[in-house]
């Protein structure tokens, strides 16, 4: 073990060998003896009654083992909704237990969006299952439908759920409405703007997939699925959907080919596969198609905000008022209301001290695919609003937008800072990040750069954005009492030091590309002085003694890493007690350094961690009251959230003939507190910037008037190609948080928050217009150029 620090070093990822040599196993790679294939029949209609289903022709196809419809399994409960910010005022479809309900696991009586599953076929071959699904005859009575929140809330709109005649799931507000309205009424400057933010798909490389198996002898179920939340899936499927004993379901997650939030749900295919596996007595496998991804997997974003910002001509902002209209789609996901209600609503003040903020949202049902959180969930929608408003306000008063930001930043001495919407910001140094980003941008040369671009038929522009974004889903009391989450959000870790001094760490966090094995090994190595290659990290399996876990909301290092650090501290405390016994001194006389425990007054008297662990496992001579072995289970439930922040600068060039936008330089200065592995965090930041650029420039789920996603094929759903982007210039400042043992804040879906507003600002700067809605397609940009006076 070297004396150099492990925490904070860019050590190479331990996970990559298997990924690079092709030995890593993803869902599509898995096969089991006797395994059969399952295919779903989806609704072709946005809204329709199911009058009759004829299975005769489908059942006659060779290889078909079983076909299930909603009528066959309607005894099972609907999927649960576990996040309900409105509490008792929230409205959901009926549930036999009165629980907030999502969709039934197969449609019964009615379909409410295109892609809703009507039937499931199990067959010995995939081809037979597909043929059978196509031969299921369904008699539908097509009903009127509604596709967006504003339309769904109008009088006389088609009713999505009979028990919710106004289509309102919930109304939620944060802040003081009357105070905000009064401040706006008194303000010297008032700017109003409508700011929609388009619906998108997370679009992972790997589609969702499930394998289910049932052992009739033991009555045990096993579910293999590429989810972010195996523990939550296990608890919900057992206790709230299928009604099977908790100990009878094991959930295992293989390698995951990307998620970006869309695999962080409880989906109906998992429940159907478990039921089908028991019925046919064989393992059942389902793998979604690329087209199916856009119809069955949750969409994201889709906010529709009417916003007002007010203040004086010196640039000081006094009030903010935002009214959002958001749709959940036909059903709520298990956390659907959380993003538009809490994450957007509480985040909309961004990095700014605004005395009178107010946010309200009407969340409605509509006849489209479910909408839920994805990378940057809720925060990116809210931070886009405030950043665009800052630019529009600056334009209104004739001030540099950078100066407006500086004037209104939360000051360093004001932390911890209550933002008036429910969040308390932990720490920050916003001007430092902005200064570093502007230094890199070298805006003194901007006019020279514009002139050079013009010689090539290009318009050059730049845009600046700042953000502060909440991370680390927890603390559990706040998540339940304020945001309405039915469940705990603490982190868990089980750490065992073997007799040899090697360590085994079992984590509740679920990796899907973030490098958890490496990062958590670094925490253990730093705390206990164990070499990285002697640390085993176990994950992705609910078989064990960890009750909870998952990876979402930039919580893994911040929350699960906190649990790992606490487990290490508990191990050190026990090891210290044993070392004192072995060396014949008091525990307070022991000091620990790099895996060695020595006497403070005589460094020659020392024992190593392997020697201590060996003695504890042998248990030949233990001090009174000390148990054998060296292992600890630890929990970490933080006192509050963390708020990483940053400032970004984007440079774009626009083709004057076509309106095509090229991002030619991108600068990001972010602050994630004390990072564990800079290389991994750089990778996360690059991915965030890419996702933000893609949302800003191209991505959008497009429905036709009948509710069909018309760009549901990969070649039709536009996303930015990495080959069209510059190398990103990323760097960090470091402002630690008091809310984690290691001072680290979240990073997994943070930097994305600065990207779309910076790019929109840059395009508007290049053209000389105030605003263009995302996505900034060549057509939109060209039209903006033509409409300029």
């Amino acid at each position: 073990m070297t004396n150099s620090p492990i925490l904070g070093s860019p050590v190479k990822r331990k996970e990559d060998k298997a990924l690079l040599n092709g030995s890593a196993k993803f869902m599509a790679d898995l096969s089991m003896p006797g395994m059969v294939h399952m295919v779903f029949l989806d609704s072709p209609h946005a809204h329709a009654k199911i009058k009759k289903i004829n299975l005769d022709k489908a059942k006659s196809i060779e290889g078909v083992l079983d076909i299930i419809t909603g009528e066959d399994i309607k005894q099972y409960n609907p999927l649960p909704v576990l996040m309900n910010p409105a509490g008792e005022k929230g409205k959901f479809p009926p549930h036999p237990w009165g629980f907030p309900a999502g969709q039934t696991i197969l449609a019964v009586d009615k379909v409410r969006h295109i892609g809703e599953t009507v039937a499931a076929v199990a067959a010995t071959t995939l081809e037979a299952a597909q043929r059978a699904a196509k031969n299921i005859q369904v008699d539908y009575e097509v009903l009127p439908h509604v596709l967006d929140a504003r339309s769904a809330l109008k009088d006389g709109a088609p009713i999505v759920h009979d028990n919710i005649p106004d289509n309102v799931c919930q109304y939620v507000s944060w802040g003081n409405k009357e105070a905000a309205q009064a401040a706006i009424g008194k303000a010297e400057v008032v700017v109003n703007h409508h700011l929609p933010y388009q619906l998108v798909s997370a679009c992972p490389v790997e589609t969702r997939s499930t394998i289910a198996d049932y052992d009739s002898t033991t009555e045990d179920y096993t579910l293999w699925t590429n989810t972010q939340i195996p523990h939550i899936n296990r608890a919900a499927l057992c206790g709230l959907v299928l009604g099977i004993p908790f100990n009878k379901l094991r959930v295992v997650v293989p390698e995951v080919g990307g998620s970006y939030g869309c695999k962080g749900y409880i989906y109906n295919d998992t429940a159907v596969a478990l039921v089908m596996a028991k019925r046919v007595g064989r393992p059942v496998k389902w793998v979604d198609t690329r087209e199916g991804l856009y119809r069955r997997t949750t969409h994201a974003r889709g906010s529709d905000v009417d916003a007002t910002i007010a203040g004086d001509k010196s640039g000081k902002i006094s009030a903010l008022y935002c009214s959002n209209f958001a749709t959940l789609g036909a059903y709520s996901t298990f956390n659907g209301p959380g993003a538009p209600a809490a994450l957007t609503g509480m985040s909309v003040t961004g990095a700014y001290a605004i005395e009178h903020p107010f946010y309200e949202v009407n969340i409605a049902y509509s006849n489209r695919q479910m909408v839920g959180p994805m990378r940057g969930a809720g925060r990116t929608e809210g931070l886009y609003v405030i950043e665009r408003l800052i630019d529009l306000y600056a334009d209104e008063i004739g001030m540099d937008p950078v100066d407006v930001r500086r004037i209104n930043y939360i000051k360093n001495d004001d932390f911890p800072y209550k933002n008036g919407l429910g969040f308390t910001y932990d720490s920050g140094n916003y001007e430092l990040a902005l200064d570093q980003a502007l230094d890199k941008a070298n805006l003194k040369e901007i006019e020279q750069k514009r002139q050079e671009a013009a010689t090539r038929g290009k318009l050059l522009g730049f845009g600046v954005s700042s953000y502060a974004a909440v991370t680390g889903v927890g603390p559990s009391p706040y998540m339940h009492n304020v945001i309405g989450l039915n469940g705990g959000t603490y982190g868990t870790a089980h750490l065992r030091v073997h007799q040899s001094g090697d360590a085994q760490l079992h984590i509740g966090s679920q990796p899907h590309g973030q490098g958890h094995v490496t990062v958590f090994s670094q925490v253990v190595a730093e705390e206990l002085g164990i070499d990285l290659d002697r640390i085993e990290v176990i994950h992705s399996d609910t078989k064990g003694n960890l009750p909870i876990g998952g990876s979402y909301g930039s919580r893994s290092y911040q929350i699960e890493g906190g649990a790992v650090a606490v487990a290490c501290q508990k191990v050190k405390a026990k090891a210290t007690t044993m070392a004192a016994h072995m060396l014949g001194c008091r525990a307070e006389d022991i000091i620990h350094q790099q895996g060695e425990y020595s006497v403070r007054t005589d460094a020659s008297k020392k024992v190593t961690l392997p020697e201590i662990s060996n003695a504890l496992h042998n248990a030949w001579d233990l001090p009174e009251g000390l148990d054998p072995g060296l292992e600890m289970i630890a929990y970490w439930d933080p006192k509050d959230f963390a708020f990483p922040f940053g400032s970004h600068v984007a440079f774009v060039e626009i083709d004057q003939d076509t309106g095509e936008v090229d991002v030619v330089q991108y600068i990001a200065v972010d602050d994630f507190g004390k990072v564990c592995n800079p290389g991994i965090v750089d990778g996360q930041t690059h991915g965030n910037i890419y996702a933000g650029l893609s949302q800003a420039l191209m991505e959008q789920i497009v429905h036709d008037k009948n509710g069909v996603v018309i760009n549901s094929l990969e070649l039709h759903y536009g996303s930015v190609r990495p080959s069209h982007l510059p190398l990103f210039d990323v760097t960090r400042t470091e402002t630690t948080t008091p809310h984690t043992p290691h001072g680290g804040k979240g990073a997994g879906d943070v930097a994305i928050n600065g990207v779309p507003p910076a790019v929109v600002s840059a395009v508007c700067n290049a053209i000389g217009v105030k605003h263009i809605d995302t996505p900034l397609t060549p057509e939109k940009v060209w039209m903006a150029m033509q409409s300029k006076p």
Side-chain angles (χ1 to χ4, degrees):
M1 187 78 187
T2 66
N3 290 323
S4 60
I6 298 297
L7 208 63
S9 298
V11 302
K12 291 184 178 180
R13 290 179 15 136
K14 299 172 70 172
E15 300 91 334
D16 287 347
K17 184 176 181 179
L19 295 169
L20 293 172
N21 68 19
S23 62
K25 300 297 182 184
F26 295 84
M27 281 299 305
D29 298 318
L30 301 184
S31 184
M32 300 178 64
M35 188 175 73
V36 302
H37 297 268
M38 186 171 73
V39 168
F40 288 115
L41 174 69
D42 297 340
S43 167
H45 302 293
H47 198 196
K49 289 182 179 179
I50 301 173
K51 298 178 67 176
K52 183 179 180 182
I53 301 178
N54 188 327
L55 304 178
D56 294 342
K57 190 173 181 182
K59 285 184 174 181
S60 69
I61 293 173
E62 184 178 356
V64 172
L65 301 175
D66 198 5
I67 302 178
I68 303 176
T69 67
E71 285 292 330
D72 298 324
I73 53 175
K74 64 181 182 181
Q75 70 271 28
Y76 297 114
N77 288 340
L79 300 181
V81 178
L82 301 179
M83 187 178 287
N84 176 26
E88 294 181 356
K89 295 181 180 179
K91 293 182 284 187
F92 299 90
H95 190 287
W97 301 346
F99 206 86
Q103 71 178 125
T104 53
I105 59 176
L106 287 175
V108 179
D109 299 329
K110 186 184 282 190
V111 292
R112 294 177 174 85
H113 70 88
I114 289 176
E116 183 168 1
T117 46
V118 176
V121 179
T124 54
T125 66
L126 178 60
E127 294 76 14
Q130 291 171 334
R131 283 181 56 211
K134 291 178 181 178
N135 280 279
I136 296 174
Q137 298 171 329
V138 184
D139 184 10
Y140 293 103
E141 179 185 334
V142 178
L143 301 172
H145 62 269
V146 62
L147 296 177
D148 65 272
R150 288 184 191 259
S151 299
L153 296 172
K154 291 179 179 178
D155 291 340
I159 297 171
V160 180
H161 296 282
D162 294 341
N163 68 315
I164 309 173
D166 59 2
N167 290 327
V168 176
C169 173
Q170 51 195 259
Y171 168 86
V172 176
S173 67
W174 307 98
N176 188 318
K177 184 175 185 176
E178 291 74 20
Q181 289 174 328
I184 291 169
K186 297 176 183 176
E188 186 179 14
V189 180
V190 177
V191 176
N192 301 294
H193 208 85
H194 174 225
L195 292 165
Y197 203 51
Q198 79 272 24
L199 199 69
V200 297
S201 166
C203 201
V205 172
E206 179 198 36
T207 61
R208 291 191 302 106
S209 180
T210 291
I211 297 175
D213 190 25
Y214 176 74
D215 187 326
S216 59
T217 302
T218 63
E219 299 183 339
D220 288 336
Y221 294 84
T222 304
L223 180 72
W224 291 265
T225 187
N226 49 7
T227 180
Q228 296 171 222
I229 49 171
H231 295 275
I232 295 174
N233 267 265
R234 181 192 189 189
L237 289 169
C238 288
L240 299 175
V241 180
L242 300 179
I244 60 179
F246 184 75
N247 288 334
K248 290 298 181 181
L249 175 60
R250 176 187 181 188
V251 181
V252 183
V253 183
E255 295 287 352
V256 180
S259 175
Y260 318 114
C262 74
K263 294 172 184 172
Y265 297 94
I266 305 160
Y267 283 105
N268 69 314
D269 56 86
T270 54
V272 176
L274 290 166
V275 172
M276 184 70 84
K278 183 175 181 179
R279 286 171 62 114
V280 302
R282 296 166 69 172
V284 172
K285 183 175 187 177
W286 171 76
V287 179
D288 205 359
T289 62
R290 294 309 304 178
E291 182 183 6
L293 171 74
Y294 296 97
R295 291 187 287 112
R296 299 188 192 96
T297 295
T298 55
H299 299 156
R301 317 291 194 227
S303 61
D304 190 5
V305 179
D306 294 325
T308 299
I309 192 167
D312 60 35
K313 291 182 179 179
S314 73
K316 180 61 179 175
I317 296 166
S318 58
L320 174 69
Y321 193 113
C322 297
S323 294
N324 189 9
F325 296 84
T327 182
L328 297 173
Y331 307 93
S332 174
T333 64
F334 91 96
N335 57 357
L343 290 174
T344 299
M346 293 181 174
S347 299
V348 76
T349 52
Y352 309 104
I354 300 175
E355 186 175 1
H356 300 294
F358 178 74
Y359 171 90
E360 63 184 353
V361 60
N362 285 282
I363 303 176
Y365 295 103
S366 65
N367 298 113
R368 63 178 5 167
Q369 167 64 344
M370 290 180 290
V371 179
M374 66 168 274
R375 197 172 203 172
R379 293 152 290 176
T380 185
E381 293 95 309
L383 294 167
Y384 173 79
V385 169
I386 186 61
E387 286 304 295
R388 291 307 304 135
L389 289 175
I390 292 287
D391 280 3
L392 292 165
Y393 188 89
D395 181 80
E396 181 70 17
I397 63 175
M399 183 178 284
D400 188 331
V402 168
D403 293 335
V404 174
R405 287 176 169 84
R406 290 189 191 277
I407 290 168
N408 291 283
Y409 276 155
I410 302 166
K411 306 308 178 189
N412 296 358
D413 294 338
D414 291 338
F415 294 99
Y417 176 82
K418 295 182 182 297
N419 77 337
L421 298 173
F423 279 150
T424 300
Y425 291 26
D426 56 340
S427 61
N429 190 343
Y430 301 162
E431 287 210 60
L432 177 62
L434 177 65
D435 288 341
Q436 290 193 13
L438 293 175
D439 285 346
K440 285 174 170 286
N442 192 18
L443 295 179
K444 295 178 181 179
E445 297 180 357
I446 188 65
E447 292 307 320
Q448 180 182 343
K449 292 179 179 179
R450 288 190 203 274
Q451 293 172 13
E452 188 281 326
T455 64
R456 296 180 282 108
K458 306 282 188 177
L459 297 174
L460 184 139
F462 74 95
V464 177
S465 71
S466 296
Y467 72 87
V470 65
T471 61
V473 177
S476 297
Y478 190 96
M479 291 299 298
H480 175 70
N481 298 329
V482 178
I483 299 181
L485 179 65
N486 190 353
T489 51
Y490 50 87
T492 57
H494 179 194
L495 177 62
R496 175 185 292 119
V497 179
H498 296 298
Q499 195 163 358
S500 63
D502 292 9
Q504 181 187 77
L505 174 66
H506 191 170
I507 57 172
S509 183
Q510 173 55 52
H512 45 280
Q514 306 98 316
H516 288 183
V517 171
T518 303
V519 167
F520 295 133
S521 292
Q522 286 181 259
V523 175
V524 174
E526 179 78 13
E527 292 281 350
L528 299 183
I530 303 174
D531 288 337
L532 285 170
D533 58 4
R534 299 184 66 185
I535 301 168
E536 176 190 19
V537 178
I538 298 173
H539 56 83
S540 306
D541 193 337
T542 62
K543 186 177 182 179
N545 50 16
L546 296 183
I548 198 168
S551 179
Y552 48 89
S554 292
R555 74 187 299 273
S556 296
Y557 181 54
Q558 185 176 327
I559 307 301
E560 302 289 346
V564 174
V566 171
C568 290
Q569 291 160 11
K570 288 185 173 184
V571 164
K572 283 195 293 186
K574 185 173 183 179
T576 298
T577 299
M578 187 63 190
H581 179 71
M582 295 170 71
L583 296 172
C585 66
R586 299 176 306 169
E588 53 265 37
D589 294 329
I590 294 292
I591 59 173
H592 168 257
Q593 186 175 16
Q594 297 295 319
E596 290 186 345
Y597 294 73
S598 59
V599 179
R600 190 182 307 275
T601 57
D602 186 354
S604 66
K605 292 182 178 181
K606 60 185 178 181
V607 288
T608 65
L609 183 62
E611 291 170 335
I612 296 170
S613 186
N614 182 61
L616 283 166
H617 280 83
N618 286 331
W620 296 333
D621 179 19
L622 299 181
E624 186 176 351
L626 198 66
D627 292 330
L630 189 53
E631 64 180 304
M632 296 289 172
I633 295 177
Y635 304 89
W636 176 254
D637 205 358
K639 293 182 179 180
D640 212 330
F641 303 97
F643 289 80
F645 59 90
S647 284
H648 293 190
V649 182
F651 289 86
V652 301
E653 289 184 353
I654 302 171
D655 190 301
Q656 296 188 62
D657 294 328
T658 67
E660 184 174 359
V661 178
D662 289 322
V663 179
V664 294
Q665 186 179 7
Y666 199 91
I667 298 163
V669 178
D670 303 289
D671 193 312
F672 310 121
K674 184 175 180 61
V675 304
C676 177
N677 187 308
I680 288 176
V681 171
D682 284 349
Q684 291 281 12
T685 304
H686 280 248
N688 270 265
I689 295 171
Y690 168 81
L693 292 174
S694 206
Q695 166 113 26
L697 297 175
M698 299 184 76
E699 293 195 38
Q700 183 175 21
I701 291 288
V702 181
H703 293 85
D704 68 11
K705 64 180 182 180
N706 297 316
V708 177
V709 178
I710 60 176
N711 58 338
S712 63
L713 295 176
E714 192 70 14
L715 292 177
H716 297 162
Y717 183 84
S719 57
V720 174
R721 297 292 184 263
S723 58
H724 294 170
L725 297 174
L727 295 175
F728 304 142
D729 184 347
V730 301
T731 191
R732 285 182 296 277
T733 59
E734 184 179 296
T735 309
T736 59
T737 177
H739 299 319
T740 63
H742 39 65
K745 305 184 180 187
D749 65 345
V750 175
I752 189 174
N753 296 295
V755 183
V759 174
V760 173
S761 179
V763 170
C764 292
N765 176 262
I767 298 173
V769 298
K770 292 185 177 182
H771 179 75
I772 308 174
D773 289 332
T774 56
L776 303 172
T777 60
E779 179 184 11
K780 276 188 189 177
V781 174
W782 186 87
M783 291 292 290
M785 289 191 292
Q786 307 314 305
S787 63
K788 183 183 173 185

